[in-house]
Amino acid sequence: MQTIFKVFVFFFMMVFWNIMMIHAQEGSSLAGNWQGTLKVSGMELRVVFHIREGADGAFTGTMDSPDQGAAGIPVSAVLQDGQQVTFEIEAIKGSFQGTLSQDGNRINGEWRQLGSRLPLELEKTNQPAEIKRPQEPRPPYPYRIEEITFPNEDAGIHLAGTLTLPDTSSPVPAVILVSGSGPQDRDETLMGHKPFWVLADYLTSRGIAVLRYDDRGIGQSEGDFKTATLTDFVNDVLAGLAYLRTRKEVDPDRIGVIGHSEGAWIAPEVAVKDGKVAFLVLLASPGVSGEELLLLQNRAILKASGFSDTFIDKQLRIQKKTFQVLKSAKSDSVARERIRALNRQFLESLSPEERERLEQQGSSEALLEARLPILVSPWFRQLLTYDSRPVLARVSCPILALNGSKDLQVPSRINLSNIERVLKESGHKNFVIKELPGLNHLFQHAETGLPNEYAKIEETFAPEALEEISTWILKLANEKRGQ
């Protein structure tokens, strides 16, 4: 009897335990914050999923990549089948698949994107990683802010932007900001940073009106970015200048252009075509042709990433052949096929170790397919052959050219020296060329200058760079007002 009682008690406890476990699993909802770390080519990238459960029991969510400055990426599907969990992120062609732990606090699985597969364990947390940007302006602002639009009549579009105006009754100097390559909003938002917002805030707080705008086809601006070329972007800036000259708060004789990276290529074109631009500020400006720049950039980034000289030479040989195809192919379809063949040739030339390291960044074939639309675009084809030096030689207004010593995208020494040489040979008298120590392509203080650092750095725009720009503009503007 005692034995039967013990068995009954044991059986009862097991049933009770199983019931408790079932209820625990039912109560361990996917809703919450899930954080983990991906290890890619020696880098650690944190990822955070914010999962919400609706009244109907359906899950929705967003994804953050704090170390890449990305936040709020929509999770297109949240699926659960027992302990198996899947998050799909269509916007970046990625997905996570894993197994939920018995206690409901961990999901052990795999991240998949563009052919690559990386282990990833997510842990539920009440304190997910946040993106810190201490320089981002906060209200109250010591100036006026207007959301505006201006027409580019030749293109038949309106561009949308923000005009910040010093709180004064006298006409003030002004600048229009021109962003770098790729689809950019008015703040030049990149890796969680808003460099143009920080720059506009700094300049306007010191008495300079600033117009920044969304690229055509981006944000609230009309038009088609995918089919646009450098020439189109030049015309957009000219339309912005025309708008600034209609504003009574702005002194029309003291309007300049600040261009960053590709925007610093566009600025001289604008100055030559417009003829009334008061000054140019060229930030990280290329001083070589597009093809030369891309080869310099690739070598510098691969070298800083620890790739061998042998691998870099192989990569650059294929890159040069790719550029030749883009310049000579009679159609996009022909160019695509030839570039695919070159990529296969490149992969076959790699050692097993080189190929393994390359594949850690994702399938080479998948990455190439993602890049092909950009490579064959009118914008990229024009960029390859573009050289700003002949245009720069025709600029007559004052120029300030700044670059960071750790810029790997537009290596400073060769580009700044070429800009200086062109200006001297053209007889230009009023220019300042300056390399700022320790700053990267975004004008942040950096360790290596590699693009994978941009998001991890809390600083958006180095104070000394902001000071150089504002001091030079105000000195010039004051001299011009006194004339």
Side-chain angles (χ1 to χ4, degrees):
M1 185 70 179
Q2 189 177 10
T3 302
I4 294 173
F5 176 75
K6 288 180 179 178
V7 171
F8 173 76
V9 171
F10 177 75
F11 176 75
F12 174 78
M13 290 301 293
M14 287 300 294
V15 170
F16 177 75
W17 173 253
N18 287 334
I19 291 172
M20 290 297 292
M21 284 301 295
I22 290 169
H23 282 294
Q25 290 177 22
E26 288 175 348
S28 60
S29 169
L30 284 179
N33 304 308
W34 297 89
Q35 181 169 313
T37 302
L38 286 168
K39 293 184 178 180
V40 187
S41 300
M43 297 185 296
E44 292 190 350
L45 300 176
R46 293 170 295 172
V47 293
V48 182
F49 292 96
H50 305 283
I51 306 300
R52 300 177 296 277
E53 185 174 6
D56 59 356
F59 292 108
T60 58
T62 58
M63 173 187 167
D64 300 342
S65 178
D67 298 314
Q68 293 179 298
I73 304 168
V75 176
S76 49
V78 180
L79 308 172
Q80 184 175 14
D81 182 7
Q83 300 300 103
Q84 300 306 304
V85 175
T86 300
F87 301 150
E88 295 180 358
I89 309 91
E90 178 61 30
I92 57 173
K93 307 299 181 187
S95 68
F96 169 75
Q97 297 178 16
T99 303
L100 183 66
S101 64
Q102 290 295 328
D103 62 8
N105 291 323
R106 289 179 304 281
I107 308 174
N108 189 40
E110 188 176 65
W111 172 257
R112 302 178 183 183
Q113 186 180 25
L114 294 175
S116 66
R117 295 187 174 197
L118 298 169
L120 176 62
E121 182 176 77
L122 300 177
E123 187 170 355
K124 211 168 194 180
T125 177
N126 292 323
Q127 294 182 316
E130 295 180 0
I131 300 172
K132 296 180 180 179
R133 299 292 180 254
Q135 285 180 292
E136 194 164 307
R138 301 282 188 273
Y141 307 112
Y143 46 78
R144 291 164 44 203
I145 299 177
E146 290 186 25
E147 304 304 321
I148 60 92
T149 62
F150 59 90
N152 178 334
E153 294 180 355
D154 291 339
I157 61 174
H158 280 78
L159 298 156
T162 301
L163 178 63
T164 47
L165 294 161
D167 191 10
T168 178
S169 58
S170 302
V172 296
V175 295
I176 183 169
L177 306 185
V178 188
S179 64
S181 59
Q184 301 282 356
D185 65 16
R186 67 193 68 187
D187 297 325
E188 203 184 34
T189 302
L190 178 69
M191 301 292 190
H193 290 283
K194 299 180 183 294
F196 276 9
W197 187 193
V198 173
L199 179 57
D201 173 77
Y202 190 92
L203 295 179
T204 309
S205 297
R206 284 154 182 78
I208 303 166
V210 179
L211 173 60
R212 61 192 202 277
Y213 62 96
D214 299 331
D215 286 351
R216 60 166 64 195
I218 306 303
Q220 298 175 48
S221 288
E222 299 171 349
D224 186 353
F225 183 87
K226 296 189 296 296
T227 59
T229 63
L230 286 171
T231 304
D232 296 316
F233 298 138
V234 168
N235 291 333
D236 291 343
V237 181
L238 290 170
L241 288 173
Y243 169 78
L244 279 176
R245 292 183 181 122
T246 69
R247 299 292 305 226
K248 67 180 188 307
E249 304 94 337
V250 172
D251 182 345
D253 294 326
R254 294 188 292 164
I255 301 175
V257 180
I258 299 180
H260 176 233
S261 195
E262 182 186 289
W265 256 350
I266 293 169
E269 291 272 5
V270 170
V272 169
K273 288 191 175 183
D274 181 83
K276 294 179 287 185
V277 172
F279 57 86
L280 298 180
V281 177
L282 308 181
L283 303 176
S285 176
V288 295
S289 71
E291 182 171 354
E292 291 175 277
L293 177 66
L294 291 170
L295 293 169
L296 284 170
Q297 180 184 107
N298 203 14
R299 179 177 291 278
I301 290 175
L302 289 172
K303 189 74 174 176
S305 299
F307 284 93
S308 68
D309 289 339
T310 302
F311 176 87
I312 294 171
D313 289 342
K314 292 176 184 177
Q315 176 80 274
L316 294 184
R317 277 197 296 272
I318 292 297
Q319 193 175 20
K320 289 176 183 178
K321 290 180 180 179
T322 298
F323 294 160
Q324 187 57 44
V325 166
L326 289 169
K327 289 186 289 186
S328 62
K330 295 181 179 180
S331 69
D332 288 354
S333 59
V334 170
R336 287 171 186 265
E337 287 307 312
R338 289 182 181 174
I339 292 170
R340 289 186 183 109
L342 286 172
N343 188 58
R344 290 192 293 270
Q345 178 185 331
F346 169 63
L347 292 176
E348 290 167 2
S349 73
L350 298 180
S351 68
E353 294 79 12
E354 290 172 334
R355 184 155 188 167
E356 181 181 1
R357 183 173 181 187
L358 191 66
E359 293 294 327
Q360 287 177 353
Q361 302 175 41
S363 164
S364 181
E365 290 85 355
L367 288 171
L368 176 64
E369 291 304 316
R371 293 169 182 160
L372 272 175
I374 298 173
L375 291 177
V376 300
S377 68
W379 164 77
F380 192 81
R381 290 174 185 268
Q382 185 183 18
L383 180 145
L384 275 181
T385 58
Y386 184 78
D387 191 337
S388 67
R389 284 172 288 191
V391 178
L392 191 61
R394 296 166 56 198
V395 175
S396 57
C397 67
I399 296 174
L400 169 66
L402 299 178
N403 207 340
S405 66
K406 292 189 176 181
D407 188 342
L408 300 182
Q409 291 187 248
V410 183
S412 62
R413 289 190 179 179
I414 185 170
N415 285 286
L416 285 180
S417 63
N418 279 355
I419 291 170
E420 184 173 20
R421 184 182 304 111
V422 168
L423 294 175
K424 284 182 176 179
E425 290 176 355
S426 67
H428 201 297
K429 302 297 182 184
N430 194 348
F431 65 89
V432 175
I433 309 287
K434 197 164 191 178
E435 181 185 72
L436 302 178
L439 304 189
N440 63 17
H441 186 63
L442 300 188
F443 291 87
Q444 303 166 300
H445 288 94
E447 290 294 325
T448 66
L450 283 166
N452 61 35
E453 285 185 330
Y454 297 166
K456 296 179 182 179
I457 301 171
E458 292 186 4
E459 177 183 73
T460 296
F461 215 121
E464 62 265 38
L466 294 169
E467 180 64 24
E468 285 280 353
I469 297 165
S470 65
T471 299
W472 185 82
I473 292 174
L474 290 172
K475 181 176 182 292
L476 197 68
N478 289 333
E479 291 173 353
K480 196 167 184 68
R481 182 174 58 180
Q483 292 177 354

